[in-house]
Amino acid sequence: LLYARKREHSPEVLEAQRQKLLSLAERIPNFTVVDATRGADAARRRAIWIMWNDITRRRLQSAKPAAPRPDSGGLTLNEMA
């Protein structure tokens, strides 16, 4: 697709670049390859889903338990509800 659109590099050079990028998945944690063969809209939706899923996962992992309120007798807000 890139070759057909721009013709800046030969298909061989583009494939070498593609393979180099794909090899990053072996070395970088959480590196995700998005399948773009189904079209730009599908690839964009998938990439957005992956990013939001990762953001949510990270926020949930870093969330600290609620501290007890001073006047709650040691109960957290969730336990008081």
Side-chain angles (χ1 to χ4, degrees), residues 31-67:
F31 186 95
T32 304
V33 176
V34 175
D35 179 7
T37 61
R38 298 183 335 185
D41 285 339
R44 179 183 46 79
R45 285 191 303 272
R46 178 73 175 146
I48 290 169
W49 183 88
I50 290 167
M51 288 185 287
W52 277 112
N53 190 51
D54 190 55
I55 290 167
T56 301
R57 182 183 52 79
R58 289 176 190 220
R59 284 187 178 171
L60 290 174
Q61 286 176 347
S62 68
K64 295 180 182 175

